[in-house]
Amino acid sequence: PRSMTGPLVALGVLAVAFFRGWRLLDALALAGTFVLYGGWYAKFYDYKPASMAPALAWLGAFYAVFLALPFVYHLVRRVRFTVERFIMALANAAFAFGMALDMLHRDYAISLGFVALGMAAAYLVLGSIIRRRLPEDAPTLFGAIAMTVTFLTLAVPLQLHANGILLAWAMEGPILAYLGYRFRYLPVRAFAAAVLAVAVGRLFFSGDTWPLH
């Protein structure tokens, strides 16, 4: 069936990537999937629950495939990552979250926080694998942690409101600081400081929290 062409091609490219680091093929598969899915979405998606479930399911499947695709060859072979691989990962994250945002923001906005949390968890798992397989590749490990913290921090305002946002960020900062010192990783400590700075800024400069400080 025509609807299975995209997933089968993506899985085929992922299988090839397991053995070969063909960067052009991977990039073409990613771009082609974006075009195919985006074209179908623009033409057929109608924002009804009956359409939403399969659209989100396919989006999640494509996201999972292209989450692994830029990294699988390098992790298997223990080869340092290239810049374009991480650009692919960023493009995949931006496309998946952007599409989910467009689907859910009208009637299911509260679900977006869970989407961001799921993506943060995915990058946390990826970061732990990178740390175990390629501990010397500090830039890629930093990128995975940055994506984790970004989506974790983004989930807070998407899911909570007013003081709940402030309290969540105020808890997230010290937890990140503890992990940064526990594992002796400076970038995580920097992220912790940034999250705490955002929390303090919200406390003093947001009209819905300052009167209740």
Side-chain angles (χ1 to χ4, degrees), residues 11-212:
L11 290 175
V13 173
L14 180 61
V16 171
F18 187 85
F19 300 101
R20 301 283 184 180
W22 291 347
R23 293 178 288 183
L24 179 59
L25 177 62
D26 297 345
L28 289 174
L30 180 68
T33 299
F34 288 175
V35 171
L36 287 173
Y37 188 90
W40 170 86
Y41 186 84
K43 187 173 182 179
F44 296 108
Y45 190 71
D46 56 9
Y47 295 95
K48 295 180 180 179
S51 301
M52 183 177 297
L56 284 172
W58 284 121
L59 181 64
F62 286 132
Y63 170 73
V65 169
F66 290 106
L67 174 70
L69 181 64
F71 302 107
V72 62
Y73 175 83
H74 297 265
L75 291 172
V76 170
R77 307 292 180 180
R78 295 181 184 267
V79 177
R80 290 177 67 91
F81 293 92
T82 56
V83 174
E84 64 267 22
R85 292 295 187 175
F86 200 73
I87 293 175
M88 287 178 60
L90 288 174
N92 181 44
F95 180 82
F97 191 77
M99 296 301 297
L101 178 66
D102 190 71
M103 287 185 220
L104 298 171
H105 80 280
R106 297 187 180 188
D107 301 311
Y108 302 94
I110 194 171
S111 302
L112 287 169
F114 293 108
V115 173
L117 284 175
M119 294 178 72
Y123 289 111
L124 179 62
V125 171
L126 180 62
S128 66
I129 296 172
I130 292 171
R131 188 181 185 196
R132 185 166 61 251
R133 298 286 297 177
L134 287 169
E136 72 283 358
D137 194 347
T140 304
L141 178 60
F142 173 82
I145 292 175
M147 297 289 280
T148 301
V149 175
T150 297
F151 281 105
L152 180 62
T153 306
L154 184 62
V156 172
L158 289 172
Q159 197 67 33
L160 303 176
H161 302 281
N163 295 317
I165 299 174
L166 175 61
L167 292 173
W169 280 340
M171 290 187 291
E172 179 187 348
I175 291 172
L176 289 175
Y178 167 76
L179 293 174
Y181 283 101
R182 172 68 177 79
F183 294 101
R184 299 178 181 179
Y185 193 59
L186 179 60
V188 174
R189 286 179 250 168
F191 287 131
V195 171
L196 285 173
V198 170
V200 171
R202 180 171 177 80
L203 172 64
F204 286 100
F205 300 107
S206 176
D208 59 356
T209 56
W210 173 247
L212 301 175

